[in-house]
Amino acid sequence: MTYVVTENCIACKYMDCVEVCPVDCFYEGENTLVIHPDECIDCGVCEPECPADAIRPDTDPDGEGWVDFNRKYAEVWPVIVAMGTPPANADEMDGVPNKLQTHFSPEPGQKDSHEH
């Protein structure tokens, strides 16, 4: 089993989960995170940290599709090990339906934009 980031993270990207992960298996996209399913050790500490309830076990209904999604983007996005600043409208985006179709960006996260 593994944990996966699901649709509700898109455009919320709170990142509370990142710093509790003991194996640094989160990867950052422009407006969402993913978990590398081959690196996740199934400890579950990230799941209760997510304010958007966007981290679920792969055993949930439709979980297998999210495993593939998480793996695909974890292979191309940079690893994230420290919490950043979520989008200003994250609270408004929490729970918005169909975010994968309407708000998802396949671009990698902007790691260098936070460094000066």
PDB file of all heavy atoms in Angstrom, residues 99-116:
ATOM      1  N   LYS A  99     -11.318  19.741 -10.303  1.00  0.00           N
ATOM      2  CA  LYS A  99     -10.106  20.551 -10.402  1.00  0.00           C
ATOM      3  C   LYS A  99      -9.064  19.934 -11.332  1.00  0.00           C
ATOM      4  O   LYS A  99      -8.267  20.665 -11.917  1.00  0.00           O
ATOM      5  CB  LYS A  99      -9.502  20.795  -9.018  1.00  0.00           C
ATOM      6  CG  LYS A  99     -10.337  21.727  -8.174  1.00  0.00           C
ATOM      7  CD  LYS A  99      -9.573  22.261  -6.985  1.00  0.00           C
ATOM      8  CE  LYS A  99      -9.468  21.281  -5.871  1.00  0.00           C
ATOM      9  NZ  LYS A  99      -8.793  21.854  -4.681  1.00  0.00           N
ATOM     10  N   LEU A 100      -9.072  18.623 -11.494  1.00  0.00           N
ATOM     11  CA  LEU A 100      -8.121  18.000 -12.408  1.00  0.00           C
ATOM     12  C   LEU A 100      -8.340  18.514 -13.830  1.00  0.00           C
ATOM     13  O   LEU A 100      -7.394  18.802 -14.552  1.00  0.00           O
ATOM     14  CB  LEU A 100      -8.233  16.471 -12.358  1.00  0.00           C
ATOM     15  CG  LEU A 100      -7.225  15.705 -13.205  1.00  0.00           C
ATOM     16  CD1 LEU A 100      -5.790  16.028 -12.796  1.00  0.00           C
ATOM     17  CD2 LEU A 100      -7.472  14.213 -13.106  1.00  0.00           C
ATOM     18  N   GLN A 101      -9.583  18.684 -14.225  1.00  0.00           N
ATOM     19  CA  GLN A 101      -9.898  19.164 -15.570  1.00  0.00           C
ATOM     20  C   GLN A 101      -9.796  20.684 -15.693  1.00  0.00           C
ATOM     21  O   GLN A 101      -9.466  21.193 -16.758  1.00  0.00           O
ATOM     22  CB  GLN A 101     -11.323  18.733 -15.972  1.00  0.00           C
ATOM     23  CG  GLN A 101     -11.500  17.251 -16.181  1.00  0.00           C
ATOM     24  CD  GLN A 101     -11.626  16.467 -14.874  1.00  0.00           C
ATOM     25  OE1 GLN A 101     -11.999  17.009 -13.844  1.00  0.00           O
ATOM     26  NE2 GLN A 101     -11.291  15.189 -14.915  1.00  0.00           N
ATOM     27  N   THR A 102     -10.057  21.408 -14.624  1.00  0.00           N
ATOM     28  CA  THR A 102     -10.164  22.864 -14.735  1.00  0.00           C
ATOM     29  C   THR A 102      -8.980  23.654 -14.181  1.00  0.00           C
ATOM     30  O   THR A 102      -8.787  24.806 -14.562  1.00  0.00           O
ATOM     31  CB  THR A 102     -11.440  23.368 -14.032  1.00  0.00           C
ATOM     32  OG1 THR A 102     -11.386  22.993 -12.654  1.00  0.00           O
ATOM     33  CG2 THR A 102     -12.687  22.793 -14.679  1.00  0.00           C
ATOM     34  N   HIS A 103      -8.181  23.063 -13.273  1.00  0.00           N
ATOM     35  CA  HIS A 103      -7.134  23.839 -12.619  1.00  0.00           C
ATOM     36  C   HIS A 103      -5.744  23.197 -12.607  1.00  0.00           C
ATOM     37  O   HIS A 103      -4.775  23.844 -12.230  1.00  0.00           O
ATOM     38  CB  HIS A 103      -7.530  24.140 -11.162  1.00  0.00           C
ATOM     39  CG  HIS A 103      -8.656  25.101 -11.052  1.00  0.00           C
ATOM     40  ND1 HIS A 103      -9.977  24.723 -11.162  1.00  0.00           N
ATOM     41  CD2 HIS A 103      -8.672  26.434 -10.858  1.00  0.00           C
ATOM     42  CE1 HIS A 103     -10.744  25.779 -11.029  1.00  0.00           C
ATOM     43  NE2 HIS A 103      -9.972  26.834 -10.841  1.00  0.00           N
ATOM     44  N   PHE A 104      -5.612  21.946 -12.992  1.00  0.00           N
ATOM     45  CA  PHE A 104      -4.326  21.257 -12.901  1.00  0.00           C
ATOM     46  C   PHE A 104      -3.299  21.827 -13.867  1.00  0.00           C
ATOM     47  O   PHE A 104      -3.582  22.076 -15.027  1.00  0.00           O
ATOM     48  CB  PHE A 104      -4.489  19.762 -13.176  1.00  0.00           C
ATOM     49  CG  PHE A 104      -3.183  19.021 -13.237  1.00  0.00           C
ATOM     50  CD1 PHE A 104      -2.426  18.853 -12.088  1.00  0.00           C
ATOM     51  CD2 PHE A 104      -2.701  18.518 -14.429  1.00  0.00           C
ATOM     52  CE1 PHE A 104      -1.215  18.189 -12.134  1.00  0.00           C
ATOM     53  CE2 PHE A 104      -1.488  17.853 -14.483  1.00  0.00           C
ATOM     54  CZ  PHE A 104      -0.742  17.690 -13.332  1.00  0.00           C
ATOM     55  N   SER A 105      -2.079  22.040 -13.368  1.00  0.00           N
ATOM     56  CA  SER A 105      -0.959  22.448 -14.201  1.00  0.00           C
ATOM     57  C   SER A 105       0.108  21.363 -14.148  1.00  0.00           C
ATOM     58  O   SER A 105       0.552  20.997 -13.058  1.00  0.00           O
ATOM     59  CB  SER A 105      -0.358  23.767 -13.701  1.00  0.00           C
ATOM     60  OG  SER A 105       0.864  24.015 -14.372  1.00  0.00           O
ATOM     61  N   PRO A 106       0.553  20.853 -15.296  1.00  0.00           N
ATOM     62  CA  PRO A 106       1.590  19.820 -15.304  1.00  0.00           C
ATOM     63  C   PRO A 106       3.001  20.383 -15.122  1.00  0.00           C
ATOM     64  O   PRO A 106       3.972  19.636 -15.118  1.00  0.00           O
ATOM     65  CB  PRO A 106       1.431  19.181 -16.684  1.00  0.00           C
ATOM     66  CG  PRO A 106       0.900  20.274 -17.530  1.00  0.00           C
ATOM     67  CD  PRO A 106       0.019  21.100 -16.628  1.00  0.00           C
ATOM     68  N   GLU A 107       3.117  21.688 -14.954  1.00  0.00           N
ATOM     69  CA  GLU A 107       4.427  22.322 -14.803  1.00  0.00           C
ATOM     70  C   GLU A 107       5.033  21.998 -13.438  1.00  0.00           C
ATOM     71  O   GLU A 107       4.318  21.873 -12.451  1.00  0.00           O
ATOM     72  CB  GLU A 107       4.307  23.839 -14.954  1.00  0.00           C
ATOM     73  CG  GLU A 107       3.838  24.266 -16.318  1.00  0.00           C
ATOM     74  CD  GLU A 107       4.748  23.783 -17.441  1.00  0.00           C
ATOM     75  OE1 GLU A 107       5.977  23.936 -17.317  1.00  0.00           O
ATOM     76  OE2 GLU A 107       4.223  23.246 -18.433  1.00  0.00           O
ATOM     77  N   PRO A 108       6.363  21.887 -13.360  1.00  0.00           N
ATOM     78  CA  PRO A 108       7.013  21.647 -12.081  1.00  0.00           C
ATOM     79  C   PRO A 108       6.890  22.850 -11.158  1.00  0.00           C
ATOM     80  O   PRO A 108       6.595  23.958 -11.605  1.00  0.00           O
ATOM     81  CB  PRO A 108       8.473  21.379 -12.444  1.00  0.00           C
ATOM     82  CG  PRO A 108       8.653  21.895 -13.814  1.00  0.00           C
ATOM     83  CD  PRO A 108       7.301  21.940 -14.470  1.00  0.00           C
ATOM     84  N   GLY A 109       7.118  22.615  -9.872  1.00  0.00           N
ATOM     85  CA  GLY A 109       7.073  23.704  -8.892  1.00  0.00           C
ATOM     86  C   GLY A 109       8.181  24.708  -9.121  1.00  0.00           C
ATOM     87  O   GLY A 109       9.182  24.426  -9.762  1.00  0.00           O
ATOM     88  N   GLN A 110       7.981  25.873  -8.572  1.00  0.00           N
ATOM     89  CA  GLN A 110       8.923  26.980  -8.763  1.00  0.00           C
ATOM     90  C   GLN A 110       9.865  27.082  -7.567  1.00  0.00           C
ATOM     91  O   GLN A 110       9.819  28.032  -6.804  1.00  0.00           O
ATOM     92  CB  GLN A 110       8.138  28.288  -8.937  1.00  0.00           C
ATOM     93  CG  GLN A 110       7.128  28.256 -10.049  1.00  0.00           C
ATOM     94  CD  GLN A 110       7.760  28.050 -11.407  1.00  0.00           C
ATOM     95  OE1 GLN A 110       8.775  28.635 -11.723  1.00  0.00           O
ATOM     96  NE2 GLN A 110       7.158  27.183 -12.210  1.00  0.00           N
ATOM     97  N   LYS A 111      10.740  26.106  -7.397  1.00  0.00           N
ATOM     98  CA  LYS A 111      11.631  26.067  -6.242  1.00  0.00           C
ATOM     99  C   LYS A 111      12.501  27.311  -6.140  1.00  0.00           C
ATOM    100  O   LYS A 111      12.712  27.824  -5.069  1.00  0.00           O
ATOM    101  CB  LYS A 111      12.531  24.829  -6.305  1.00  0.00           C
ATOM    102  CG  LYS A 111      11.791  23.544  -6.064  1.00  0.00           C
ATOM    103  CD  LYS A 111      12.728  22.387  -6.105  1.00  0.00           C
ATOM    104  CE  LYS A 111      13.548  22.399  -4.830  1.00  0.00           C
ATOM    105  NZ  LYS A 111      14.373  21.211  -4.652  1.00  0.00           N
ATOM    106  N   ASP A 112      13.028  27.805  -7.236  1.00  0.00           N
ATOM    107  CA  ASP A 112      13.949  28.937  -7.197  1.00  0.00           C
ATOM    108  C   ASP A 112      13.257  30.259  -6.929  1.00  0.00           C
ATOM    109  O   ASP A 112      13.895  31.217  -6.550  1.00  0.00           O
ATOM    110  CB  ASP A 112      14.740  29.020  -8.501  1.00  0.00           C
ATOM    111  CG  ASP A 112      15.661  27.837  -8.674  1.00  0.00           C
ATOM    112  OD1 ASP A 112      16.072  27.241  -7.667  1.00  0.00           O
ATOM    113  OD2 ASP A 112      15.947  27.491  -9.833  1.00  0.00           O
ATOM    114  N   SER A 113      11.940  30.326  -7.107  1.00  0.00           N
ATOM    115  CA  SER A 113      11.244  31.589  -6.903  1.00  0.00           C
ATOM    116  C   SER A 113      11.223  32.003  -5.430  1.00  0.00           C
ATOM    117  O   SER A 113      11.036  33.166  -5.113  1.00  0.00           O
ATOM    118  CB  SER A 113       9.817  31.513  -7.439  1.00  0.00           C
ATOM    119  OG  SER A 113       9.049  30.600  -6.689  1.00  0.00           O
ATOM    120  N   HIS A 114      11.425  31.056  -4.504  1.00  0.00           N
ATOM    121  CA  HIS A 114      11.410  31.359  -3.074  1.00  0.00           C
ATOM    122  C   HIS A 114      12.788  31.751  -2.564  1.00  0.00           C
ATOM    123  O   HIS A 114      12.933  32.214  -1.452  1.00  0.00           O
ATOM    124  CB  HIS A 114      10.905  30.159  -2.279  1.00  0.00           C
ATOM    125  CG  HIS A 114       9.531  29.736  -2.665  1.00  0.00           C
ATOM    126  ND1 HIS A 114       8.431  30.526  -2.496  1.00  0.00           N
ATOM    127  CD2 HIS A 114       9.072  28.591  -3.250  1.00  0.00           C
ATOM    128  CE1 HIS A 114       7.363  29.889  -2.933  1.00  0.00           C
ATOM    129  NE2 HIS A 114       7.720  28.731  -3.398  1.00  0.00           N
ATOM    130  N   GLU A 115      13.832  31.553  -3.366  1.00  0.00           N
ATOM    131  CA  GLU A 115      15.205  31.826  -2.942  1.00  0.00           C
ATOM    132  C   GLU A 115      15.647  33.183  -3.479  1.00  0.00           C
ATOM    133  O   GLU A 115      15.385  33.523  -4.623  1.00  0.00           O
ATOM    134  CB  GLU A 115      16.139  30.737  -3.457  1.00  0.00           C
ATOM    135  CG  GLU A 115      15.806  29.373  -2.904  1.00  0.00           C
ATOM    136  CD  GLU A 115      16.627  28.273  -3.546  1.00  0.00           C
ATOM    137  OE1 GLU A 115      17.569  28.598  -4.285  1.00  0.00           O
ATOM    138  OE2 GLU A 115      16.325  27.107  -3.292  1.00  0.00           O
ATOM    139  N   HIS A 116      16.307  33.951  -2.654  1.00  0.00           N
ATOM    140  CA  HIS A 116      16.807  35.266  -3.106  1.00  0.00           C
ATOM    141  C   HIS A 116      18.281  35.389  -2.817  1.00  0.00           C
ATOM    142  O   HIS A 116      18.821  35.007  -1.894  1.00  0.00           O
ATOM    143  CB  HIS A 116      16.069  36.425  -2.398  1.00  0.00           C
ATOM    144  CG  HIS A 116      14.614  36.464  -2.758  1.00  0.00           C
ATOM    145  ND1 HIS A 116      14.175  36.944  -3.961  1.00  0.00           N
ATOM    146  CD2 HIS A 116      13.514  36.050  -2.097  1.00  0.00           C
ATOM    147  CE1 HIS A 116      12.846  36.857  -3.999  1.00  0.00           C
ATOM    148  NE2 HIS A 116      12.432  36.314  -2.881  1.00  0.00           N
TER     149      HIS A 116
END
